Amino acid sequence: MCGRFAIYSSLQDLFKYIEYINELEAYDLRYNAAPTNRLPVYRKDKDGVRLETFRWGLIPFWAKDESIGSKLINARSETAHEKPSFRSAFKARHCLIPANGFFEWRKPDKQPMFIFLRDQPIFSFAGLWERWVTPGGSPLHTFTILTTDANETMRGIHHRMPVILPPGREMEWLDSEGDLDTSMQLMKPLESDWMDFYPISGQVNSPRNNFAEILARQVPDQDSICFR
């Protein structure tokens, strides 16, 4: 699963990563992004790629209220195309969620880890987005992050991981709407050699803590060293 990540790159760097056609004046930098936060998302329409801020936690268009979003922060890649909550978005609303890294808590000792890609300061999770209309008639755009089986790097931390698109193949995900075969091929665990991780402070446990120091490498106690 993926329940917390970091995205703090400048808009200039996000434009260099994937060029977008609209103007986004700013977004809240998140060193500890959590569900319900508004976060940058790339999506594609007939005019090109747009970078917008959507709320994390997908609310299906048919939902009666927004509370369901807190339960739909992730979607299993193996079944998203057939689940009522996700299948409409899977067919027509793919998105990219840029990240600098993400967090997972190692079992069984609950040690938080910061996980990132070597030589890739920005990468993308494969995601789905949805447009929900509030009772007041205003549109609310939300997203979910797809997950898959853990690769070798992640297996010692957690049995699931977010779908991370191979660098250079991000646009294939945006272009694969309605193409189940291509979508399924892209939703495989990223090769382990791309990834690395290190332990961080338990301050990340609280989503209220949102500062750069949260990403500092921690020297683990001798009894909890993770041998790799």
Side-chain angles (χ1 to χ4, degrees):
M1 72 177 285
C2 180
R4 214 74 69 75
F5 68 95
I7 177 62
Y8 49 81
S9 292
S10 68
L11 286 176
Q12 182 180 13
D13 285 340
L14 289 175
F15 182 80
K16 290 179 180 177
Y17 173 59
I18 294 178
E19 293 186 10
Y20 51 92
I21 62 173
N22 60 305
E23 292 187 15
L24 184 65
E25 293 185 0
Y27 79 95
D28 293 331
L29 306 186
R30 294 287 181 178
Y31 298 92
N32 188 11
T36 74
N37 290 162
R38 293 193 67 88
L39 301 163
V41 168
Y42 297 97
R43 69 176 181 92
K44 193 174 183 181
D45 64 17
K46 60 182 178 61
D47 297 316
V49 176
R50 297 182 179 277
L51 181 67
E52 300 169 316
T53 55
F54 290 176
R55 194 170 85 172
W56 188 7
L58 187 139
I59 305 174
F61 69 89
W62 45 258
K64 296 186 183 302
D65 62 71
E66 61 186 80
S67 62
I68 193 174
S70 62
K71 302 175 183 178
L72 302 178
I73 64 170
N74 292 155
R76 291 179 68 91
S77 60
E78 299 89 341
T79 59
H81 65 285
E82 58 189 13
K83 293 293 185 181
S85 296
F86 305 120
R87 62 189 177 199
S88 178
F90 192 92
K91 290 179 181 178
R93 286 177 291 281
H94 290 192
C95 64
L96 304 172
I97 301 98
N100 302 109
F102 66 100
F103 308 106
E104 194 55 79
W105 284 255
R106 184 180 64 197
K107 295 182 178 180
D109 62 358
K110 301 298 179 76
Q111 169 64 52
M113 298 288 183
F114 181 62
I115 304 147
F116 57 96
L117 266 58
R118 298 190 183 106
D119 304 318
Q120 296 289 332
I122 306 174
F123 58 90
S124 285
F125 303 128
L128 308 173
W129 70 275
E130 190 60 271
R131 180 181 183 272
W132 184 70
V133 179
T134 69
S138 300
L140 176 61
H141 294 93
T142 61
F143 73 90
T144 189
I145 295 173
L146 289 154
T147 65
T148 186
D149 289 331
N151 60 21
E152 185 178 351
T153 296
M154 284 292 300
R155 207 165 292 138
I157 303 173
H158 198 276
H159 68 285
R160 300 286 291 180
M161 63 179 283
V163 173
I164 300 172
L165 294 161
R169 301 190 66 185
E170 294 90 348
M171 293 303 297
E172 293 181 46
W173 176 250
L174 294 184
D175 292 334
S176 66
E177 294 173 351
D179 184 343
L180 180 59
D181 289 341
T182 300
S183 296
M184 298 302 284
Q185 290 172 12
L186 288 168
M187 294 189 297
K188 296 178 180 178
L190 186 70
E191 292 184 14
S192 295
D193 291 346
W194 283 98
M195 301 176 66
D196 204 350
F197 63 87
Y198 58 78
I200 59 172
S201 165
Q203 293 180 100
V204 73
N205 295 347
S206 172
R208 292 190 295 271
N209 294 330
N210 182 45
F211 41 82
E213 291 77 12
I214 212 168
L215 305 180
R217 183 189 297 265
Q218 297 293 301
V219 178
D221 295 334
Q222 188 65 32
D223 291 339
S224 63
I225 291 176
C226 178
F227 294 98
R228 299 169 51 194

